[in-house]
Amino acid sequence: MTLLDLLQKLSPDTLIGIWNIDDKRAKYPTPQTYQKAGNIQWSKIRNIIDYEVMAICVNEKNGGLFVRVYNKARLDMSIANSDLAQKINNMRP
């Protein structure tokens, strides 16, 4: 499920905090930074709208949804590169 699919299914009043785990500079969303799904600014999610949802948890403090997203294509490429590196390493005498 992509972030877009999730946002389309949520009520506009649902509190949501989104964390892009691929971005090292992205901060973990605090209960104060959660936004209603209907009020999320396009500029904040336009680059991650097609990312896959890794996990959804309910925040105990505000009842909102904590959503972790990741770039599936980047993960697949990283796994393929790792496998290739292992094969090359095993070929060395």
Side-chain angles (χ1 to χ4, degrees):
M1 171 184 284
T2 64
L3 180 59
L4 178 62
D5 295 336
L6 176 67
L7 291 174
Q8 289 175 340
K9 290 174 176 50
L10 292 177
S11 163
D13 294 330
T14 304
L15 287 175
I16 187 168
I18 301 169
W19 186 27
N20 177 8
I21 63 169
D22 287 337
D23 187 0
K24 301 295 182 199
R25 297 170 291 140
K27 295 181 180 176
Y28 185 88
T30 63
Q32 294 82 12
T33 59
Y34 279 54
Q35 296 180 334
K36 290 186 177 183
N39 293 339
I40 296 176
Q41 296 175 355
W42 174 248
S43 61
K44 291 190 177 193
I45 62 169
R46 70 174 172 235
N47 294 328
I48 62 170
I49 197 73
D50 59 342
Y51 282 17
E52 292 289 321
V53 173
M54 175 180 262
I56 303 172
C57 305
V58 176
N59 186 313
E60 295 176 3
K61 293 184 180 178
N62 63 8
L65 296 177
F66 170 62
V67 179
R68 283 187 269 180
V69 297
Y70 70 101
N71 185 340
K72 186 173 183 348
R74 183 181 296 166
L75 177 64
D76 291 342
M77 184 178 64
S78 176
I79 291 170
N81 289 344
S82 177
D83 289 343
L84 180 61
Q86 280 184 331
K87 289 177 183 176
I88 291 172
N89 194 24
N90 290 339
M91 293 173 73
R92 291 184 180 171

